[in-house]
Amino acid sequence: DALTVVLCGLVVICTLVVLPLLYETLLTIAAALGGEHLRHTQRAVRIARLLDMISDYSERGIQALVLGMIFGPIYVHYQEVAPLFADFAGEHESTAHIVLAHLLPSVWINSNMLYNFYRACTDPAGTPDEDRECATTCARCQRPKPPGTHHCSTCGKCVVDLDHHCPFTANCVGRANYRSFFLFVFYSWIATVYAFWLAATSHALCHEGRPELVCTQWRSRIYYLALLAIVALTSFLALMVYLTLVGRSFRTFMSGSRPDIYPNERAFSRLQLRLGPWRQWWKYLLPGLGDRTTIAGGLRAI
């Protein structure tokens, strides 16, 4: 069905995105076995460029899928779930209930999610200032490389406090745009909690056997999809908070390296350095209101 096609398409696109990483891994293994010359052959360079191009286009496809995953539930909400609540309430359904339980939460959650997704995709991750004096330089891009800076092979640039390169935003996540990425994940999590509440309520109503309710097969699927989404996003959001508190990036977490994000700061101080002062967190309730919170200096646009 349509859901299977979408999931298969997502798997294919994600596979295409990670092809350069897989190819680089194979070359690294070959070099360890004595085949260092393979990396520098003309054929290997051509293959690497081709895979990078395919990966770039695939990331754009993933961005389109993310937008579909945002707008799709909005459509399902007002096409499938909201009418069920109206059928259940019948004549007792009030306009205030529709506004408070469906319209306002949906507009608030989805506007924040879309805004922060846009910022996470377009905001520069933050590269070191070329005029900044530094004892070390990057061997790949020949630019200053202060502590905590790492080179992203996908973007071809050094990024301050590089967390990871995200295929869902087709952008690096670094010091300058970590807040936008975090807020996107946070509001995505709120969206899954809200969707699960709607799906669980409608799922329960449909299983009460009320003849006046029109229950479709999609409503049962929505319940299980929402449950799967809330488990996945809760785990990822908890991991992000944990890594921020302990001073580790997703990159060092995967590689097992030591903490490298504000290693000399305390846990809650790290959270404020990455998200802004806690007294201003209330501004993140509305899209764009908290954009002027202070970010550490020494950065320039990519």
Side-chain angles (χ1 to χ4, degrees):
D1 55 5
L3 179 61
T4 303
V5 173
V6 171
L7 292 177
C8 291
L10 181 60
V11 170
V12 171
I13 292 178
C14 289
T15 302
L16 294 176
V17 168
V18 300
L19 279 179
L21 177 61
L22 296 176
Y23 184 64
E24 180 67 23
T25 302
L26 291 176
L27 290 178
T28 302
I29 295 174
L33 297 177
E36 176 64 31
H37 65 284
L38 295 176
R39 185 188 300 273
H40 305 289
T41 61
Q42 188 175 8
R43 177 177 295 180
V45 173
R46 289 178 177 176
I47 293 176
R49 290 176 179 174
L50 177 61
L51 293 180
D52 285 338
M53 182 181 66
I54 294 174
S55 177
D56 290 340
Y57 282 111
S58 299
E59 285 187 345
R60 302 305 176 187
I62 290 182
Q63 283 182 313
L65 282 176
V66 172
L67 289 175
M69 293 168 64
I70 294 174
F71 286 107
I74 296 175
Y75 171 80
V76 171
H77 180 192
Y78 291 102
Q79 187 70 23
E80 295 282 342
V81 179
L84 181 67
F85 281 84
D87 292 341
F88 172 70
E91 297 179 355
H92 301 287
E93 184 74 8
S94 64
T95 303
H97 175 79
I98 293 295
V99 171
L100 294 177
H102 295 277
L103 182 60
L104 288 182
S106 179
V107 170
W108 173 63
I109 294 171
N110 289 296
S111 61
N112 275 287
M113 189 163 47
L114 285 168
Y115 177 78
N116 287 293
F117 176 67
Y118 168 76
R119 295 296 302 266
C121 291
T122 59
D123 281 1
T127 58
D129 191 344
E130 293 183 352
D131 298 330
R132 181 178 180 180
E133 295 184 1
C134 187
T136 59
T137 58
C138 178
R140 297 186 182 182
C141 60
Q142 304 302 319
R143 290 173 177 167
K145 191 176 181 181
T149 301
H150 298 276
H151 188 89
C152 175
S153 58
T154 304
C155 294
K157 298 178 177 68
C158 279
V159 177
V160 179
D161 292 344
L162 175 64
D163 191 83
H164 67 287
H165 182 88
C166 180
F168 294 98
T169 60
N171 194 11
C172 284
V173 179
R175 178 182 294 182
N177 67 349
Y178 182 86
R179 180 183 61 212
S180 298
F181 181 78
F182 181 90
L183 290 175
F184 166 62
V185 175
F186 176 72
Y187 277 104
S188 298
W189 174 76
I190 291 181
T192 59
V193 173
Y194 176 63
F196 179 73
W197 172 74
L198 292 173
T201 304
S202 60
H203 184 74
L205 292 176
C206 286
H207 282 73
E208 288 181 1
R210 297 174 179 266
E212 71 274 14
L213 298 182
V214 179
C215 296
T216 64
Q217 188 179 10
W218 261 105
R219 289 188 176 126
S220 296
R221 294 184 179 183
I222 292 171
Y223 171 77
Y224 293 108
L225 286 173
L227 180 61
L228 178 63
I230 196 173
V231 170
L233 275 175
T234 299
S235 302
F236 186 67
L237 181 62
L239 177 62
M240 287 188 67
V241 173
Y242 167 76
L243 292 178
T244 301
L245 291 175
V246 300
R248 301 186 68 177
S249 62
F250 190 75
R251 178 185 52 80
T252 57
F253 172 74
M254 295 298 294
S255 63
S257 304
R258 63 182 181 179
D260 61 340
I261 306 296
Y262 304 114
N264 299 322
E265 299 289 341
R266 294 185 177 182
F268 191 67
S269 297
R270 294 191 187 107
L271 198 63
Q272 293 188 86
L273 286 169
R274 304 213 76 177
L275 301 180
W278 67 269
R279 292 183 179 87
Q280 300 184 23
W281 287 357
W282 64 271
K283 294 182 179 180
Y284 302 149
L285 293 174
L286 294 176
L289 189 61
D291 286 349
R292 294 187 178 182
T293 52
T294 304
I295 294 179
L299 305 179
R300 67 174 183 86
I302 290 181

